[in-house]
């Protein structure tokens, strides 16, 4: 019985942070939908979609690899390897989404649309890809290092 209570006590903050994030996402999406017109919200949705796709492809599975690699290294107390893996993975998950997205960013202006209407989606999707890769990696890294509250905040 004490194991269940302790597990609930330790994970209550994680549940609250995740629930708060979901509510914040729901409210902000509803507000953006009502505030922006159909064309502007369409551009925003396009930028989010391209950014998420490019960041997902560009990280090469490093966030999921953090669970296994960091878990093995910490179990063996090989802390220099954890640091090396973290630095290399952060560099790759920051640079590679931009390189993967470069053909997408170069081909998008060829669409039958005026360049000014694509300026915001291109820059927004580039910034989303730049930030999402490292954030996904850091989220899984902190979870592997047994910091679930930090990973849920990220």
């Amino acid at each position: 019985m004490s194991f269940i209570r302790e597990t609930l006590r330790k994970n209550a903050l994680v549940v609250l942070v995740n629930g708060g994030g979901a509510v914040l996402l729901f409210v902000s999406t509803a507000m953006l939908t009502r505030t922006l017109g159909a064309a502007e919200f369409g551009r925003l949705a396009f930028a989010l979609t391209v950014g998420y796709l490019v960041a997902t492809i560009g990280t090469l599975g490093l966030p999921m690899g953090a669970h296994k690699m960091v878990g093995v290294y910490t179990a063996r107390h090989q802390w220099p390897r954890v640091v090396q893996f973290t630095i290399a993975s952060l560099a790759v998950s920051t640079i590679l989404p931009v390189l993967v997205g470069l053909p997408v960013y170069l081909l998008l202006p060829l669409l039958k649309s005026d360049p000014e209407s694509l300026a915001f989606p291109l820059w927004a999707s580039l910034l989303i890809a730049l930030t999402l890769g490292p954030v996904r990696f850091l989220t899984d890294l902190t979870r592997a290092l047994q910091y679930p509250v930090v990973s849920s905040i990220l």
Side-chain angles (χ1 to χ4, degrees), residues 16-32 153:
L16 288 174
V17 169
N18 284 339
V23 168
L24 183 65
L25 180 66
F26 176 75
V27 169
S28 64
T29 303
M31 287 177 59
L32 279 173
I153 292 172

Side-chain angles (χ1 to χ4, degrees), residues 4-79:
I4 294 173
R5 282 187 186 156
E6 185 158 340
T7 303
L8 288 174
R9 185 183 57 80
K10 285 182 180 179
N11 294 323
L13 186 59
V14 174
V15 171
L16 288 174
V17 169
N18 284 339
V23 168
L24 183 65
L25 180 66
F26 176 75
V27 169
S28 64
T29 303
M31 287 177 59
L32 279 173
T33 305
R34 307 245 311 131
T35 305
L36 298 175
E40 290 86 10
F41 189 75
R43 285 191 208 118
L44 177 65
F46 177 75
L48 289 172
T49 302
V50 170
Y52 276 97
L53 286 174
V54 167
T56 301
I57 294 168
T59 55
L60 294 176
L62 284 172
M64 296 307 283
H67 282 297
K68 180 161 177 86
M69 299 303 293
V70 172
V72 168
Y73 292 149
T74 55
R76 295 178 183 168
H77 301 289
Q78 296 177 336
W79 299 109

Side-chain angles (χ1 to χ4, degrees), residues 10-22 24 67 135-144 146-154:
K10 285 182 180 179
N11 294 323
L13 186 59
V14 174
V15 171
L16 288 174
V17 169
N18 284 339
L24 183 65
H67 282 297
V135 166
R136 281 185 178 173
F137 173 75
L138 287 174
T139 300
D140 286 340
L141 177 73
T142 53
R143 197 172 297 134
Q146 303 297 320
Y147 295 111
V149 174
V150 176
S151 72
S152 65
I153 292 172
L154 286 174

Side-chain angles (χ1 to χ4, degrees), residues 44-61 63 93 95-105 108 121-122 124-133 136:
L44 177 65
F46 177 75
L48 289 172
T49 302
V50 170
Y52 276 97
L53 286 174
V54 167
T56 301
I57 294 168
T59 55
L60 294 176
S93 64
I95 294 169
L96 208 56
V98 176
L99 295 178
V100 167
L102 199 58
V104 174
Y105 301 130
L108 283 178
L122 287 176
S125 62
L126 177 66
L127 292 175
I128 289 168
L130 264 173
T131 57
L132 194 61
R136 281 185 178 173

